[in-house]
Amino acid sequence: MRIAVITESDPNETRVAATPETVKKLIGLGATFTVEAGAGIRSGITDEDYVAAGAGIAKTAKAALKDAGIVLKVRRPSTAEIGLMPKGAMVLAIMDPYGNGDALKAMADAGLAAFSMELMPRITRAQVMDVLSSQANLAGYRAVIDAAEEYGRALPMMMTAAGTVPAAKCFIMGVGVAGLQAIATARRLGAVVTATDVRPATKEQVESLGAKFVAVEDEEFKNAETAGGYAKEMSKEYQAKQAALVASHVAKQDIVITTALIPGRPAPRLITAEMVASMRPGSVIIDLAVERGGNVEGAEAGKTVTTANGVKIVGHLNVPGRLAATASSLYAKNLFAFLETMIDKGSKSLAVKWEDELVKATNLTRDGAVVHPNFQPAATA
């Protein structure tokens, strides 16, 4: 049971898929471990740290992947990386499968058993494996820190001899894991926080954190959540009513953080150019969905845009990676928890239960084919 970890090829990716802690645990379960030299350096992990945990160090990705039965990655492997992986190897990563059929076919054609960690079902048993939650939690926290850095004023109310400093007004749009952490962080920093989401269950969560909930609460709103806990796409009529409410609210805000994503779809547009234009100079918008097209009109991936009226629109890429050491630690634990379910502890060997609900939910390719039902090629006439 040979496991390989390589340096992420995406220049914006600072995370690594294993830490000395998870390396040590997997070796204890019978694995041998090889890490490409320098793979963890951007997360603050040296090659010496990996060696101390029991891993071997390979000079290149090719050497690290040779004869590997399991490959742990953060991002979906590139075409070049796929070409280096042994046929039959299992690859665990954040695969971003929606709209990337060619990449799935390439992994299938290479004979890889690919697992998409973000498809992990949101059930009690799988909570410790939920990469979306672990990484979104950090993104929500970092979004507030980035907003505070860009905002040219203090966040908390301060009463001083020279006068009173008013608290910043912070509006969180989208109350998933990232949104909830953003609310909690902004509250801790002393901002006056409001939040909105189309899912009715979030109202209580928002209020429990000391923020005010903002939404058009009609019948459609009351039925706006899927069985899996995700937001449904709302009707044009509801979107218009909500947009009018939000527009008047946004104009009064100092900081707006948008987090809205719908799996398999482009990010919904929440903030229009007109809404941006209504905000005061010096206001800040953080768009956490910028990699999926963005929630904010005018947002640019990887850039901070300052509008004509002095509003900053921040579109950082890979926000969890801006906390690389913490993000890597949590992500590596997610991978370990999932991989542990595939190892027979008695024989200390790989024993994948292909009918296990977690395996079936995440397995994209196997035995030369795309096997996940959501990503089958469209049937021809």
Side-chain angles (χ1 to χ4, degrees):
M1 187 168 59
R2 189 159 179 273
I3 302 176
V5 171
I6 59 176
T7 305
E8 296 295 318
S9 56
D10 186 330
N12 294 310
E13 188 51 75
T14 57
R15 294 168 291 181
V16 67
T19 62
E21 178 185 356
T22 59
V23 167
K24 191 176 295 184
K25 288 181 178 179
L26 286 165
I27 290 174
L29 292 176
T32 57
F33 229 102
T34 305
V35 179
E36 182 184 356
I41 200 68
R42 297 180 75 184
S43 293
I45 304 170
T46 66
D47 293 347
E48 290 75 18
D49 293 331
Y50 283 121
V51 170
I57 301 297
K59 291 183 178 180
T60 64
K62 182 177 181 180
L65 292 170
K66 184 181 179 182
D67 300 325
I70 301 168
V71 180
L72 304 181
K73 289 193 87 276
V74 178
R75 304 258 181 172
R76 183 182 65 241
S78 65
T79 302
E81 290 168 341
I82 289 171
L84 299 176
M85 294 178 183
K87 184 176 181 180
M90 286 172 44
V91 186
L92 280 64
I94 299 171
M95 292 290 184
D96 189 22
Y98 292 103
N100 288 303
D102 290 346
L104 301 192
K105 185 177 184 300
M107 289 189 288
D109 291 347
L112 302 177
F115 292 84
S116 186
M117 292 298 296
E118 68 268 50
L119 299 182
M120 191 66 66
R122 285 187 158 170
I123 58 177
T124 301
R125 177 186 167 212
Q127 282 182 338
V128 70
M129 311 168 198
D130 187 352
V131 301
L132 289 180
S133 292
S134 75
Q135 302 303 294
N137 191 51
L138 295 175
Y141 165 80
R142 182 70 203 207
V144 177
I145 302 303
D146 286 337
E149 180 182 9
E150 297 289 349
Y151 185 55
R153 301 172 178 85
L155 265 63
M157 183 182 77
M158 297 181 184
M159 300 182 71
T160 76
T164 300
V165 177
K169 296 176 182 177
C170 184
F171 184 38
I172 313 299
M173 303 186 72
V175 188
V177 174
L180 288 170
Q181 183 56 249
I183 292 169
T185 303
R187 286 277 296 156
R188 284 195 294 269
L189 291 177
V192 175
V193 184
T194 53
T196 190
D197 196 286
V198 297
R199 295 167 298 157
T202 60
K203 179 179 180 180
E204 184 178 344
Q205 296 171 329
V206 167
E207 292 173 346
S208 73
L209 291 171
K212 182 180 177 182
F213 192 71
V214 177
V216 175
E217 298 184 41
D218 60 9
E219 282 303 312
E220 184 175 359
F221 171 78
K222 294 174 184 176
N223 297 286
E225 189 170 343
T226 68
Y230 293 101
K232 287 183 180 178
E233 190 164 14
M234 305 298 281
S235 69
K236 298 296 183 185
E237 292 77 12
Y238 182 89
Q239 289 179 27
K241 289 188 289 185
Q242 178 72 357
L245 175 64
V246 166
S248 63
H249 191 67
V250 164
K252 306 167 190 173
Q253 303 304 302
D254 301 305
I255 294 170
V256 177
I257 296 171
T258 67
T259 73
L261 286 170
I262 300 170
R265 296 177 179 270
R269 182 57 50 83
L270 303 181
I271 301 287
T272 64
E274 291 76 17
M275 292 159 72
V276 175
S278 73
M279 297 178 73
R280 291 186 290 265
S283 301
V284 176
I285 304 173
I286 307 287
D287 190 344
L288 286 182
V290 72
E291 291 182 64
R292 288 290 187 182
N295 298 142
V296 182
E297 188 173 357
E300 294 186 33
K303 296 182 180 180
T304 297
V305 177
T306 302
T307 65
N309 63 316
V311 176
K312 291 183 180 179
I313 306 174
V314 181
H316 289 309
L317 297 171
N318 187 21
V319 175
R322 292 170 64 77
L323 299 162
T326 306
S328 295
S329 175
L330 296 182
Y331 179 69
K333 288 175 183 175
N334 294 146
L335 288 179
F336 168 76
F338 184 36
L339 191 53
E340 186 182 22
T341 68
M342 305 181 190
I343 296 173
D344 184 295
K345 294 179 175 62
S347 63
K348 293 193 172 184
S349 61
L350 194 63
V352 182
K353 301 179 181 70
W354 294 103
E355 293 304 310
D356 184 287
E357 61 182 327
L358 305 184
V359 172
K360 290 175 72 173
T362 55
N363 186 207
L364 296 174
T365 65
R366 183 187 175 201
D367 296 334
V370 176
V371 296
H372 198 289
N374 291 359
F375 303 101
Q376 295 297 320
T380 55

